[in-house]
Amino acid sequence: MTELEKRQQTEMDDGDQCEFFHAHEEIVNRVNQKMPDEEELYDLAELFRLFGDSTRIRILYVLFESEMCVCDIAQLLNMTPSAISHQLRALRQSRLIKYRREGKTVFYSLADGHVRDIINQGMEHIRE
């Protein structure tokens, strides 16, 4: 037996796969009825993709503390206003943040409590 075959056998022995293929139709049907449609799953994956960038996470944490303009965020994170604006656009398009105008200045804040909850639950999970 080759080294690869030994590794594959060990993986199978660890319970990753059934010893023989037999779908449990009742369970499969019940779960299938509760599955969201493909478009919703795609949107959810896109939402989590946005959380996959450390710069965007840092921006969200900044906005936990205070509503801020692009220049303030850029200074705080030691980045260019252009780089911050690019990330803010993605966060805004996904409805994770909102903005308001005051004269020529645009202030950003978290869109709602759900964003805070998502981040807090993620932090709880990695700290366990």
Side-chain angles (χ1 to χ4, degrees):
M1 185 179 275
T2 69
E3 191 61 37
L4 177 61
E5 290 170 329
K6 287 179 188 176
R7 198 172 10 175
Q8 288 171 336
Q9 183 63 44
T10 301
E11 288 173 5
M12 286 176 51
D13 291 343
D14 287 341
D16 289 343
Q17 298 180 2
C18 297
E19 290 184 27
F20 65 96
F21 184 81
H22 172 74
H24 298 88
E25 292 298 322
E26 182 180 315
I27 296 170
V28 170
N29 290 335
R30 187 179 71 237
V31 171
N32 194 38
Q33 289 175 355
K34 294 184 180 199
M35 285 287 288
D37 65 30
E38 286 297 317
E39 187 174 327
E40 286 180 309
L41 292 173
Y42 177 82
D43 290 346
L44 182 61
E46 283 298 302
L47 174 67
F48 283 113
R49 183 186 62 79
L50 285 167
F51 286 102
D53 181 277
S54 63
T55 298
R56 288 190 288 263
I57 294 291
R58 292 171 63 209
I59 291 170
L60 291 171
Y61 262 101
V62 164
L63 297 177
F64 271 18
E65 298 301 322
S66 179
E67 175 183 71
M68 296 181 102
C69 72
V70 172
C71 296
D72 293 339
I73 298 169
Q75 181 178 344
L76 186 66
L77 299 182
N78 198 30
M79 296 177 67
T80 66
S82 175
I84 295 298
S85 291
H86 175 75
Q87 298 300 339
L88 288 170
R89 189 174 309 109
L91 293 168
R92 196 174 63 243
Q93 288 172 344
S94 294
R95 300 185 321 262
L96 294 173
I97 62 171
K98 61 185 178 183
Y99 69 95
R100 69 172 182 86
R101 258 185 207 286
E102 190 174 293
K104 293 184 178 186
T105 305
V106 177
F107 289 93
Y108 292 89
S109 61
L110 297 179
D112 57 39
H114 293 114
V115 179
R116 185 180 302 272
D117 293 344
I118 292 167
I119 297 286
N120 284 336
Q121 286 187 356
M123 287 302 288
E124 281 180 37
H125 181 74
I126 64 169
R127 289 178 174 163
E128 288 180 346

